[in-house]
Amino acid sequence: MSVPEIVIKTRQAASGQPGETAEVRQVTTTEDMHPDPSKSIKLPPNRQKLIDDVIALYSMEPTVERVSRYAPSCVYDDQFVYANNRYKMACQWFALPKLFAASRNEGYEIIHNSQNLIQFKNEQTWELLGVGSLKPITINALVSLSLDPATSDSDFPLITYHKDQANEKDYSHGGIGFILKKGQADIVPKLFLDKDSPVHFFKEDDLPEKPVVKHGSGTNAPTKDF
């Protein structure tokens, strides 16, 4: 299957569910988010390939096919970025090599696998570009991948909401911090990606923005122990 066929297929197969409606909310009481790969839940081949592609994206190996793992109306949400469609999210992955010298996956542990949700503990080491005096930064995070119900059992399941939490709190989607996160998703394509970047394959996914779901606090989500 060629890359254009993959993208066309994902657009046709997606349920159309807005990413905002698929957000998983959680405040974790787990102090140790260091992954133990030996305890990782074994996934079926279609889902393991999805995780392999996501880990490759974290490790600065973006391709059009890997970005096509996301539904057009997806949301990517971490401590630095809120990108609310596939084009903006794709810009983040393709811009990483412009911002970091290296990104290395130290290991992951699948801790939850259900019909429309995969969660894993992830450890990633980042080296900033052009800042040789600083030590690499290693981050342990809880990653939650909400899956499109129309494709969750297919050979090519799609992600509708990608949440990356580096501490116990959830995101409120309010305040100056959120304004900066959302603004970053708009600025990156303009500053770091040229006209020849593969990211422009997804330009037609630059969909009209949907209302952001605000939660009032990052501590009022359900408490979960991982």
Side-chain angles (χ1 to χ4, degrees), residues 93-113:
W93 294 126
F94 279 101
L96 284 180
K98 308 283 188 180
L99 301 168
F100 294 91
S103 175
R104 181 174 62 257
N105 186 261
E106 307 290 1
Y108 66 88
E109 177 190 347
I110 306 295
I111 60 173
H112 179 91
N113 178 40

Side-chain angles (χ1 to χ4, degrees), residues 203-224:
K203 182 62 177 174
E204 65 184 84
D205 294 336
D206 197 9
L207 306 172
E209 292 194 8
K210 292 182 172 59
V212 175
V213 179
K214 297 185 182 297
H215 303 291
S217 169
T219 59
N220 61 2
T223 300
K224 297 182 181 180

Side-chain angles (χ1 to χ4, degrees), residues 21-165:
T21 66
E23 181 184 6
V24 175
R25 297 279 297 159
Q26 64 233 330
V27 171
T28 176
T29 58
T30 304
E31 294 184 4
D32 182 11
M33 292 305 292
H34 183 81
D36 183 348
S38 69
K39 296 180 180 179
S40 188
I41 296 171
K42 185 175 177 56
L43 297 175
N46 62 330
R47 294 194 170 200
Q48 184 58 55
K49 183 61 172 67
L50 170 67
I51 296 300
D52 291 344
D53 283 342
V54 170
I55 295 299
L57 289 171
Y58 271 108
S59 302
M60 299 201 316
E61 300 172 7
T63 65
V64 170
E65 181 174 349
R66 285 169 177 156
V67 172
S68 298
R69 286 292 189 175
Y70 294 81
S73 61
C74 70
V75 171
Y76 178 88
D77 191 7
D78 70 14
Q79 60 267 43
F80 303 114
V81 180
Y82 181 89
N84 56 346
N85 63 37
R86 182 161 62 177
Y87 172 67
K88 292 181 182 180
M89 184 274 310
C91 290
Q92 299 299 314
W93 294 126
F94 279 101
L96 284 180
K98 308 283 188 180
L99 301 168
F100 294 91
S103 175
R104 181 174 62 257
N105 186 261
E106 307 290 1
Y108 66 88
E109 177 190 347
I110 306 295
I111 60 173
H112 179 91
N113 178 40
S114 59
Q115 182 70 26
N116 297 323
L117 179 65
I118 302 173
Q119 292 179 303
F120 60 97
K121 297 178 181 179
N122 191 48
E123 183 169 289
Q124 200 77 19
T125 296
W126 302 87
E127 296 180 28
L128 288 170
L129 192 64
V131 191
S133 61
L134 292 181
K135 293 182 179 179
I137 301 170
T138 298
I139 298 176
N140 291 325
L142 170 65
V143 178
S144 301
L145 305 178
S146 298
L147 305 181
D148 171 46
T151 64
S152 61
D153 291 325
S154 73
D155 291 337
F156 204 80
L158 301 182
I159 300 165
T160 55
Y161 204 109
H162 181 146
K163 176 177 281 189
D164 182 312
Q165 294 172 255

